[in-house]
Amino acid sequence: MTLFSRREAALALGAIAATTPAFARNRGIDWHALGADVKKEMAWAWANYREHAWGKDDFKPVSGGSKSFPLKDHHLGLSLIEAMDTLWVMGLDQEFVDALGWVKANADFDVDGEVSVFETEIRLVGGLLSAHHACGDPVLLARAKDLADRLLPAFDTPTGMPYRYVNLRTGAVRDPATNPAECGTHITELGTLSKLTGDPRYFNAAKRALVAMYDRRSKAGLLADKIDVRTGEWLSRRASIAPPCDSYYEYCWDGWQLFGDRDCKRMYDVLTAAILQHQVQHAGGHLWFVDVDFETGKTLSTEQDELASFYGGLLAQGGAGATGAAYTRAWAGVQQKYGILPEGYDYTTGKPTYVTNALRPELADAAFNHWLLDRRIEWRLLGRTHYLNMKRWNRTRYGYTDMADVVTKKQTDHCPGYWWSEQMKYYYLLFSDTKRFDYKDNYLSTEGNVFRGFRR
Ligand code: DMJ
């Protein structure tokens, strides 16, 4: 007696063939359930922020206190503004509406205090613009414009490279000794503002700064990490992909990705070719980037900075997928070792050089960018480990906190604003397959702010 007819058996085999690869592809993981879990954690942390620190800048999730940033003694609503587009894309709609209400009633940048031009740009101008992209409310655009107008005096220098600090009310500037990241991480925020307002001044200021830095590259094609914005003289010799240089390279690529600006693409290509030529080293089956002298290419340091772990995703975006993946895998190995990445690590000793971790999103950022490009499960798994380890070791009474020591897993009492904008969004987008996001055509800034790709 046969249990199945030939046709039924063929159908059953077909069904197995059709379902097994999908199951194998997913490694038996319910990714959408994981996305729902990220949303639940976001909603829980948000409710606590709302109860204990509503409208404050950085939240202290152990004590329920807060800390102002980027102003010294005055809160601008940093975490709230950073969280907005993440709330929206997760479908936490009431929370988003409440935050929008706060911005309308309370966001006021007319303060006699000094801010970092870079931090204010990427977090606050960017946060307001991505929230505007999510809902289209003109007040968000007006606030972003008002704030950007207060930053613009910093760009008024002989070279076009901005001072590091500006007073939001008086426009007084301070500290001409800048670096690639602080000089060149403006074009997507200011360019978006130009696009939305029709006023080219914003884009032009940002591009002038980007080009001014590029034009001062060495014959080897490398940038050093300190420069005087008044004279354009280099003040250091160190070339690095880590801070304070990291997002300069990101924004050369991004100027191309978001606006199709060919100069930006050319700058990215030239600088990246030099980095790949002079800074790559292989050790123990892994690929790393070392710091070198920007003229001679001589190695200065093999120490690795966790903040550079985003760079593999950028390389993949720019077309160097294999090198980018190799670098991200090197960092995945460090994550395997410590659970949470130490902020400093030396591959020659195999030991951390700094044991702290300020709730950093960079490896999740890389995983998300790789996955957007090639959809390999490896990147989803990497993001999942990053998330689950964070849940295990950074979760505390009212939310998520920095780590004082990744070896002993000692926590501190501080949640940086970018946590709301970056990793929580990367995890959710990586796992949820949400319909609110266009996975094929999108743009996320260095702070995880979405300027293209939301589907209302
Ligand atoms: C974020 O503010 C941005 O990603 C920035 O470019 C550098 N890193 C921090 C988070 O670690």
Side-chain angles (χ1 to χ4, degrees):
M1 195 180 90
T2 52
L3 287 175
F4 299 108
S5 70
R6 220 178 264 270
R7 188 180 132 70
E8 282 168 336
L11 280 175
L13 280 175
I16 290 168
T19 54
T20 305
F23 183 77
R25 260 203 314 278
N26 286 315
R27 301 279 169 88
I29 295 163
D30 184 342
W31 293 101
H32 292 174
L34 195 59
D37 191 64
V38 175
K39 176 175 171 175
K40 188 165 69 61
E41 289 302 295
M42 179 79 178
W44 165 74
W46 178 260
N48 286 324
Y49 168 74
R50 179 158 192 167
E51 189 181 335
H52 298 279
W54 187 230
K56 302 288 186 210
D57 291 336
D58 283 351
F59 184 37
K60 294 188 170 182
V62 177
S63 58
S66 60
K67 181 174 171 286
S68 71
F69 182 85
L71 284 164
K72 225 174 170 186
D73 296 308
H74 185 100
H75 291 262
L76 297 170
L78 176 77
S79 290
L80 182 144
I81 291 170
E82 294 235 43
M84 285 183 78
D85 72 332
T86 309
L87 295 171
W88 183 86
V89 83
M90 288 181 175
L92 292 167
D93 293 337
Q94 189 53 54
E95 286 84 346
F96 180 85
V97 167
D98 293 348
L100 179 58
W102 184 92
V103 170
K104 287 184 174 178
N106 302 292
D108 180 3
F109 304 118
D110 185 23
V111 185
D112 186 8
E114 185 184 69
V115 293
S116 152
V117 178
F118 161 76
E119 298 288 5
T120 307
E121 187 82 81
I122 64 170
R123 295 165 182 243
L124 287 162
V125 177
L128 290 162
L129 288 173
S130 59
H132 176 264
H133 177 42
C135 72
D137 194 304
V139 170
L140 291 164
L141 178 56
R143 294 282 196 280
K145 181 181 173 324
D146 172 59
L147 184 53
D149 286 338
R150 297 173 187 279
L151 301 182
L152 277 189
F155 290 79
D156 188 11
T157 63
T159 62
M161 294 189 272
Y163 278 88
R164 296 183 65 211
Y165 298 96
V166 68
N167 182 298
L168 286 177
R169 181 172 294 162
T170 66
V173 292
R174 183 174 69 81
D175 199 351
T178 194
N179 52 66
E182 291 186 61
C183 163
T185 314
H186 302 279
I187 196 162
T188 71
E189 288 80 10
L190 293 182
T192 298
L193 203 51
S194 280
K195 227 167 119 182
L196 292 170
T197 60
D199 181 344
R201 282 181 310 131
Y202 306 103
F203 178 86
N204 291 345
K207 185 163 172 191
R208 185 169 170 236
L210 206 62
V211 173
M213 173 70 65
Y214 173 79
D215 283 347
R216 287 167 173 81
R217 69 194 180 284
S218 70
K219 284 207 176 72
L222 297 169
L223 306 176
D225 67 359
K226 204 171 189 184
I227 197 164
D228 191 317
V229 305
R230 299 163 304 186
T231 62
E233 296 293 322
W234 288 111
L235 302 172
S236 81
R237 302 189 60 85
R238 185 182 81 120
S240 178
I241 60 156
C245 308
D246 47 356
S247 50
Y248 177 88
Y249 303 110
E250 192 179 356
Y251 270 34
C252 286
W253 177 257
D254 289 8
W256 161 248
Q257 191 193 338
L258 187 59
F259 305 120
D261 188 293
R262 289 187 181 282
D263 297 333
C264 288
K265 166 103 169 47
R266 188 173 44 83
M267 293 191 287
Y268 176 82
D269 288 342
V270 169
L271 296 171
T272 304
I275 290 169
L276 293 177
Q277 186 185 342
H278 296 288
Q279 294 185 244
V280 172
Q281 280 193 15
H282 297 270
H286 288 301
L287 182 153
W288 298 103
F289 288 87
V290 294
D291 293 349
V292 300
D293 181 285
F294 82 127
E295 286 179 331
T296 66
K298 182 173 170 272
T299 300
L300 298 180
S301 167
T302 55
E303 188 178 346
Q304 305 294 308
D305 190 322
E306 185 281 342
L307 280 113
S309 64
F310 83 99
Y311 189 65
L314 176 62
L315 283 177
Q317 286 181 298
T323 308
Y327 183 56
T328 302
R329 286 182 192 124
W331 279 110
V334 183
Q335 175 171 265
Q336 189 100 19
K337 216 161 146 185
Y338 299 100
I340 306 289
L341 291 181
E343 300 228 1
Y345 178 75
D346 195 333
Y347 64 84
T348 61
T349 60
K351 298 218 169 76
T353 49
Y354 288 96
V355 292
T356 54
N357 183 297
L359 207 48
R360 296 289 182 186
E362 284 75 21
L363 194 57
D365 182 343
F368 178 56
N369 277 318
H370 282 298
W371 181 78
L372 276 181
L373 290 163
D374 64 18
R375 295 295 197 275
R376 288 169 66 98
I377 185 117
E378 169 185 8
W379 309 124
R380 263 190 162 173
L381 291 168
L382 180 58
R384 176 174 179 264
T385 304
H386 197 271
Y387 173 60
L388 294 179
N389 289 358
M390 180 189 77
K391 225 177 136 176
R392 176 167 175 198
W393 285 304
N394 296 86
R395 201 176 195 278
T396 181
R397 194 169 176 202
Y398 297 129
Y400 284 79
T401 183
D402 293 350
M403 193 145 275
D405 188 330
V406 300
V407 179
T408 62
K409 305 291 186 291
K410 186 175 183 295
Q411 295 183 341
T412 62
D413 182 14
H414 175 249
C415 178
Y418 50 76
W419 180 82
W420 305 92
S421 179
E422 292 208 57
Q423 59 260 60
M424 293 307 275
K425 188 183 292 125
Y426 305 141
Y427 302 139
Y428 186 72
L429 293 177
L430 189 55
F431 309 144
S432 71
D433 295 314
T434 174
K435 289 197 168 51
R436 289 195 173 187
F437 185 70
D438 184 338
Y439 284 87
K440 293 212 176 83
D441 183 18
N442 53 67
Y443 170 78
L444 277 77
S445 75
T446 192
E447 191 74 358
N449 288 310
V450 179
F451 296 158
R452 184 169 75 215
F454 278 159
R455 287 175 169 161
R456 288 192 211 156

